[in-house]
Amino acid sequence: EIIEKTKKFNVSVLEDSVSFDFIRHFGMQSGRDCEKLDGFKDFSRSHNGLIYLTKNANAFFSVEVENQVDLDSHILFTGKVIESKKLSSNNSCTYSYYHKSIKPKI
């Protein structure tokens, strides 16, 4: 809803050394239910005014929305990168790496 309203978003690229707890905190709960930044100081603001993570992240992208597609369970936003920055040379956490090495096995 916020992205639909503001037409902008940031993406923080996580490093492969990131913990599951960090991913769970920032990616598996809604900001409607908690304040994700309470007590967390490792972030900065890009030129668009939005935050990006500086801890456990090796890059970020600021994006202006150009299109959105309703996929029933979620909305896919695509857009133009207006700012980006390399934060470290550490390896990125891919979705495959997350499933293989970070996500707890049940």
Side-chain angles (χ1 to χ4, degrees), residues 40-95:
F40 187 80
K41 297 181 186 243
D42 296 309
F43 67 90
S44 191
R45 290 195 184 271
S46 59
H47 294 301
N48 65 8
L50 301 178
I51 67 143
Y52 63 90
L53 303 176
T54 56
K55 180 178 183 177
N56 296 315
N58 60 16
F60 82 90
F61 298 91
S62 294
V63 182
E64 289 181 349
V65 173
E66 292 184 329
N67 193 21
Q68 66 184 61
V69 179
D70 188 343
L71 300 172
D72 292 328
S73 63
H74 60 282
I75 296 173
L76 172 67
F77 294 97
T78 59
K80 176 175 64 173
V81 174
I82 57 168
E83 181 184 0
S84 63
K85 184 176 182 181
K86 179 180 177 179
L87 303 173
S88 81
S89 296
N90 296 335
N91 292 330
S92 298
C93 179
T94 65
Y95 193 65

